[in-house]
Each structure stands twice: as C-alpha cells, then as structure tokens.
Amino acid sequence: KSISQDTINEIEKAVSLYDSTIKTGNDVLDTILTEKSLKCSSNDIQLICVADGKILNFMKDEDIYSLFGNALDNSIEASLQVNEDKRIISLTSSEKNNLLFVTLKNYTKNEPIFIDNLPQTTKDDKNYHGFGSKSIKRIVEKYNGTIHYFYDKEIFTLSIIFELDNTTPKQENIIF
C-alpha cells in the first residue's frame, strides 16, 4: 500500500517544525528563536544561530524576549527586502575574558540612516514605528552593556557587549 502525497507532506511539515526547535540552554531565548525560525522558514530566510543561552541568565525573561524579539524582527524585515540568495540572518553569542559578545548580522537593501547611533525606521508612520531599536538600547544599557550598529557593503550588524561581572540591572525610572 502506498502513502499519499498529502500524508508525505504532513510528515515533512511535522519534521520541519521539529527541526526548527533551537536549544541554547535558555528557555526564553529558545522560545524566541524557535518562533522566529518558523517565521524565517516560511519566508525563505536562513537563520543561523550559534548561541549559548545559559550566559544570559543574568537578564530578566521579559528583557531577553524584548531584546532578541525586536532585534530578530528588524533583521527579518530587512531580509524580506533583499534577493533570496541574501536572505541570511546570523546570530552568535560567545564569552571571552568575562565579556559576553552578541552579534546579529543580516543583509539589507538600503544603507540605514543613523541618529545618535540608532538606526531609524524606514516606515512612513514614525509615530508608531522605530521603537524596537530604542528598546534594544534601553535593555542593553540597563545591564551596563554597550551597543553598536554597523553597516558595511550591504551587511547590517548589531553588536552588543556585556561585562559579566557588571550586569546588575540599573533601576529604571518609570513615568506614568
């Protein structure tokens, strides 16, 4: 008895979902990466991730989710505007000399405009867009980290560095 094409397609889809699960050692980061990996897969974007999520345990879960969620959303959006052969996002994290390095790279169609070292939104409605980069910066600074954005030859890079012995969160002033 042969298996129908529909059954084969369902099996391939199930295997693809299983393959998209990423394990870094941090449940929150794994959830974000799995979610974004599925979005990338459905848009023919290759997401390459080499990250040790255990190193991020100094951060609050909501900060990890916001930091990596915003950064990956921006990368995915930029990747959708380039040719399919350049739809590649690379996320790495590594520790060396008590420093945590997080790097996110992707191709981009246009050179970004920077104001105060922050890339500006390309969307028309500036009142409702452009908060992701500010949120990323706020979270990095909350944990005494540094953030830099670079653009060179169609490649956009987000670089974050944390001193692992200096990650006690700063108190935030919340204004209502």
Side-chain angles (χ1 to χ4, degrees):
K1 193 173 181 181
S2 66
I3 299 174
S4 73
Q5 187 60 45
D6 287 344
T7 303
I8 292 171
N9 291 345
E10 285 299 313
I11 292 169
E12 286 176 348
K13 186 176 177 182
V15 169
S16 173
L17 284 174
Y18 180 77
D19 282 347
S20 66
T21 303
I22 297 172
K23 297 289 182 199
T24 66
N26 181 295
D27 291 342
V28 176
L29 184 60
D30 294 347
T31 299
I32 297 161
L33 290 172
T34 298
E35 173 190 326
K36 302 306 178 188
S37 173
L38 292 169
K39 188 172 182 179
C40 285
S41 181
S42 68
N43 286 289
D44 297 316
I45 300 170
Q46 183 180 1
L47 175 60
I48 301 164
C49 178
V50 180
D52 181 355
K54 293 186 293 292
I55 304 170
L56 295 170
N57 289 338
F58 65 87
M59 294 179 76
K60 290 183 176 181
D61 290 351
E62 59 268 23
D63 290 336
I64 294 171
Y65 196 87
S66 181
L67 173 69
F68 287 92
N70 279 314
L72 286 164
D73 281 344
N74 290 345
S75 290
I76 290 168
E77 187 176 313
S79 296
L80 290 172
Q81 298 176 23
V82 298
N83 293 335
E84 284 191 25
D85 61 326
K86 292 184 176 180
R87 289 186 179 180
I88 302 166
I89 298 172
S90 167
L91 173 64
T92 60
S93 74
S94 60
E95 179 185 1
K96 185 173 182 177
N97 298 328
N98 210 35
L99 296 173
L100 168 59
F101 299 91
V102 177
T103 306
L104 183 65
K105 294 184 177 201
N106 58 270
Y107 284 95
T108 185
K109 183 179 176 185
N110 299 310
E111 182 170 357
I113 296 168
F114 293 95
I115 297 177
D116 296 329
N117 194 37
L118 284 179
Q120 301 302 296
T121 184
T122 56
K123 295 182 179 152
D124 291 334
D125 193 345
K126 310 286 189 236
N127 292 325
Y128 293 100
H129 299 286
F131 297 105
S133 295
K134 291 176 185 170
S135 175
I136 292 167
K137 181 177 192 245
R138 182 189 59 77
I139 292 166
V140 170
E141 290 176 348
K142 175 181 177 180
Y143 294 95
N144 302 300
T146 58
I147 184 169
H148 298 283
Y149 294 94
F150 305 97
Y151 173 82
D152 186 41
K153 298 179 181 146
E154 299 182 348
I155 297 176
F156 182 84
T157 303
L158 164 62
S159 175
I160 300 170
I161 303 171
F162 293 104
E163 292 180 59
L164 292 174
D165 61 357
N166 186 27
T167 56
T168 303
K170 294 178 182 175
Q171 288 290 15
E172 296 183 280
N173 295 326
I174 301 182
I175 301 169
F176 292 97

